[in-house]
Amino acid sequence: MSARSYIVDDREKKTFLLDREVLVSEDVLRQEMARIFARCWIYVGHASELKKPGDFRSRKVAGRPVIFCHNQGGTVHCLFNTCRHRGAIVCTERDGNRRRFQCIYHGWTYGNDGRLVGVPGDDAYAEGFDKALHGLRRPARFEEYRGFWFMCLDANVAPLVDYLAGAKDYIDLVIDQSPSGQMEIIAGVQEYDVAANWKLMVENSVDDYHLPSTHSTWLNFMANSGVKLEPPPKDSGQVLPTKGLAVELGNGHFTTDNINFRGRPVAKWIPLYGEPAKAEIDAIRSELVARLGPERANRVADSPTASGFIIASCPGLRGGY
Ligand code: FES
């Protein structure tokens, strides 16, 4: 069944309907795994998660267990966390620092560059057994954009920078906040375990419609803090009073682009951060203007990236508020 038959998209009547089968069908999910997750670039991790040689993180990416690691020579790797002997998970820790990973089942040992370096009882193996042919496998492509590392299972995929399309501009907005051009993933993780189809989570990332009801407590808190928001223009298609809309970024990426109302974009919207933060926020803005010029500085400071944003991707790149 083609994707089209699940969707009614009548632009003239302004009607968009989705067959709910796409949210529950095992067959659709299987096709998505093969046609989206096995062919697109998928986010693996950020360079700042691997500060020192030997640092590693193990995680699942597109349903596959991987080790995202930094070898002794300073190269970043993405290795499938599946033993080449009988397929056991090799690294069972979520993070740490190791020169070697040893499979718990029969003790095969791999270097943090994926090479097979130790096989217990290897003198009993056939003469032609060659360790060099049995290192941990890795995805067909592994590339980074400004410290964000992605993998792809399809060797023939377009370059990462082309695939990111307009999402690159929003990654740049985040990184341009930093005087050093670097950013760091800080410790601590908030994990969601949601019994729902993956597309619901992606779509929810750009669904501002739910804010006034689901997040009314937060909006009331801001109102009580003195934040004053203009109502959206009538018939503008906007839900939030922040002059923003969901933006389509190409190749399945999208985001919401609202004016940042948490800082001090204009005098009447105020000090959600409180008066004590004024001097620091003013200094940050001055540094941005000096480094980037007033126009880019305003874009960087007043976009949602100033406080966090989400790029949703059908295949997988996600940030968080
Ligand atoms: Fe890993 Fe046997 S499955 S050593």
Side-chain angles (χ1 to χ4, degrees):
M1 208 176 203
S2 79
R4 272 281 138 207
S5 57
Y6 287 117
I7 294 169
V8 175
D9 186 7
D10 187 333
R11 307 281 166 111
E12 245 171 57
K13 291 185 185 158
K14 296 189 174 170
T15 301
F16 184 87
L17 299 172
L18 181 70
D19 189 324
R20 51 178 76 188
E21 185 70 6
V22 301
L23 303 174
V24 295
S25 163
E26 290 290 333
D27 184 49
V28 169
L29 184 61
R30 252 192 311 278
Q31 290 193 50
E32 288 168 343
M33 292 309 287
R35 293 163 66 173
I36 298 176
F37 288 91
R39 289 192 196 164
C40 293
W41 288 100
I42 311 287
Y43 181 60
V44 175
H46 190 263
S48 66
E49 295 180 273
L50 310 173
K51 290 196 174 59
K52 301 186 297 297
D55 281 355
F56 72 89
R57 306 273 171 152
S58 68
R59 51 186 50 142
K60 275 197 169 175
V61 177
R64 283 141 173 110
V66 302
I67 308 172
F68 176 51
C69 58
H70 189 167
N71 75 356
Q72 301 312 116
T75 305
V76 174
H77 296 272
C78 181
L79 309 166
F80 288 122
N81 191 6
T82 309
C83 186
R84 293 295 308 283
H85 179 221
R86 297 267 301 276
I89 293 290
V90 175
C91 175
T92 54
E93 297 164 294
R94 292 184 69 161
D95 53 57
N97 185 283
R98 292 203 175 277
R99 279 174 177 265
R100 306 213 185 300
F101 300 106
Q102 185 171 49
C103 178
I104 200 169
Y105 198 179
H106 310 93
W108 281 28
T109 304
Y110 302 88
N112 55 15
D113 56 1
R115 281 179 309 118
L116 177 63
V117 293
V119 174
D122 57 353
D123 51 349
Y125 277 75
E127 213 172 276
F129 177 73
D130 183 357
K131 287 199 199 76
L133 299 177
H134 294 87
L136 293 177
R137 289 203 193 279
R138 54 190 78 219
R141 300 273 293 274
F142 182 53
E143 293 177 16
E144 59 115 19
Y145 179 72
R146 301 194 71 178
F148 292 85
W149 284 92
F150 295 75
M151 70 172 213
C152 184
L153 301 173
D154 182 353
N156 299 316
V157 69
L160 173 63
V161 287
D162 295 345
Y163 171 76
L164 287 175
K168 260 188 326 125
D169 299 339
Y170 287 83
I171 294 173
D172 291 343
L173 277 176
V174 175
I175 299 174
D176 282 354
Q177 292 174 70
S178 163
S180 68
Q182 307 292 323
M183 60 174 282
E184 181 173 351
I185 307 295
I186 56 174
V189 176
Q190 187 170 8
E191 292 190 340
Y192 299 90
D193 190 354
V194 182
N197 186 271
W198 66 275
K199 295 188 290 298
L200 287 174
M201 288 303 292
V202 174
E203 197 266 345
N204 183 68
S205 302
V206 288
D207 173 11
D208 280 352
Y209 187 28
H210 74 273
L211 257 78
S213 47
T214 308
H215 301 289
S216 58
T217 308
W218 177 60
L219 293 173
N220 287 338
F221 165 75
M222 287 204 300
N224 292 335
S225 302
V227 175
K228 212 167 152 196
L229 300 170
E230 306 290 342
K234 212 169 178 318
D235 299 326
S236 65
Q238 294 173 213
V239 176
L240 276 185
T242 48
K243 298 187 171 59
L245 288 169
V247 183
E248 201 265 322
L249 302 174
N251 288 345
H253 314 302
F254 45 109
T255 188
T256 51
D257 193 337
N258 303 307
I259 293 173
N260 174 31
F261 45 88
R262 298 163 179 87
R264 295 173 173 276
V266 290
K268 65 178 176 173
W269 291 4
I270 280 341
L272 193 58
Y273 300 129
E275 276 307 309
K278 183 175 186 325
E280 186 184 351
I281 290 174
D282 287 348
I284 290 170
R285 186 176 282 268
S286 298
E287 189 280 327
L288 286 172
V289 172
R291 178 164 46 91
L292 304 172
E295 200 177 318
R296 180 68 177 169
N298 286 344
R299 177 69 174 131
V300 169
D302 299 342
S303 72
T305 57
S307 59
F309 78 119
I310 290 175
I311 296 172
S313 246
C314 279
L317 170 63
R318 273 179 236 149
Y321 283 113

